[in-house]
């Protein structure tokens, strides 16, 4: 089973909309139970870390349960990083299907997010790499790796920025 380029784009645009709208339940439903979410950090030599288990990461969740916990903290205002609420606007480009086989689709794309908080607008950009399970009735994210290209982050970065 495979997925068309148009359906990949629609899926990614839907995820971005869910984040911008803070539609957490719909956003979480896009992730498989075993999904990983990883944002490696840049080391002192300007290279990305390669192992979230043994090296520093900006964000690392090995399963969807970690994302669910994060959403719980956002919803219940147990996260100072999200008070007051941050408004985001995601823009995606250069969407490419890298590989498709046996119900799995690997893709990459570039993104830019504007984030408004405390009357200040921050810009984040990067490249994301997804592994989708396309064997069911709707795609599910199995792996999400986000390479954050923005060098300077003046406050906490969170899942909804990426």
């Amino acid at each position: 089973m495979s997925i068309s380029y148009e359906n990949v784009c629609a899926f990614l645009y839907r995820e971005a909309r869910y984040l911008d709208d803070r539609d957490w339940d719909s956003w979480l439903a896009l992730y498989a139970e075993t999904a990983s979410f990883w944002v490696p950090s840049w080391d002192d030599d300007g290279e990305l870390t390669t192992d979230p288990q043994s090296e520093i990461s900006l964000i690392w969740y090995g399963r969807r349960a970690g994302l669910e916990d994060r959403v719980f903290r956002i919803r219940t205002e147990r996260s100072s990083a999200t008070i007051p609420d941050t408004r985001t606007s995601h823009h995606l480009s250069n969407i490419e299907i890298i590989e498709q086989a046996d119900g799995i689709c690997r893709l990459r794309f570039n993104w830019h997010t504007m984030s408004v908080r405390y009357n200040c607008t921050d810009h984040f950009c990067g490249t994301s790499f997804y592994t989708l399970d396309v064997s069911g009735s709707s795609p599910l994210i199995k792996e999400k790796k986000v390479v954050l290209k923005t060098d300077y982050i003046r406050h906490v970065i969170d899942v909804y920025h990426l």
Side-chain angles (χ1 to χ4, degrees):
M1 179 174 259
S2 65
I3 186 171
S4 71
Y5 179 77
E6 292 78 17
N7 285 339
V8 163
C9 291
F11 178 83
L12 294 174
Y13 297 148
R14 191 167 47 253
E15 181 191 20
R17 177 171 43 88
Y18 292 157
L19 289 168
D20 290 341
D21 293 349
R22 296 186 299 264
D23 185 350
W24 303 118
D25 292 331
S26 297
W27 180 70
L28 286 170
L30 300 177
Y31 288 79
E33 291 290 328
T34 58
S36 63
F37 187 110
W38 181 33
V39 184
S41 64
W42 296 94
D43 69 16
D44 291 337
D45 297 322
E47 299 294 324
L48 284 173
T49 57
T50 58
D51 183 0
Q53 300 293 333
S54 65
E55 297 176 289
I56 296 294
S57 297
L58 297 175
I59 298 175
W60 165 246
Y61 295 112
R63 298 183 53 80
R64 187 176 93 178
L67 294 173
E68 292 168 350
D69 179 65
R70 185 75 200 122
V71 165
F72 172 79
R73 287 183 278 144
I74 292 167
R75 282 183 166 151
T76 58
E77 298 182 353
R78 294 181 182 181
S79 167
S80 61
T82 57
I83 301 171
D85 280 342
T86 299
R87 297 181 306 275
T88 60
S89 179
H90 290 74
H91 303 271
L92 312 181
S93 65
N94 300 69
I95 300 167
E96 296 179 75
I97 295 175
I98 303 301
E99 176 185 0
Q100 280 201 75
D102 303 320
I104 298 295
C105 178
R106 291 185 188 357
L107 55 106
R108 69 173 283 160
F109 61 94
N110 295 329
W111 55 269
H112 173 243
T113 304
M114 290 181 290
S115 171
V116 180
R117 184 174 183 217
Y118 293 122
N119 297 320
C120 186
T121 302
D122 291 304
H123 298 267
F124 304 102
C125 63
T127 303
S128 290
F129 301 86
Y130 283 36
T131 300
L132 300 179
D133 178 346
V134 295
S135 64
S137 59
S138 60
L140 287 175
I141 300 169
K142 291 176 59 82
E143 296 174 353
K144 179 175 181 174
K145 177 183 173 185
V146 179
V147 176
L148 181 64
K149 306 268 177 98
T150 307
D151 285 301
Y152 178 75
I153 304 167
R154 54 183 203 87
H155 57 77
V156 176
I157 191 135
D158 211 328
V159 294
Y160 49 80
H161 292 113
L162 311 170

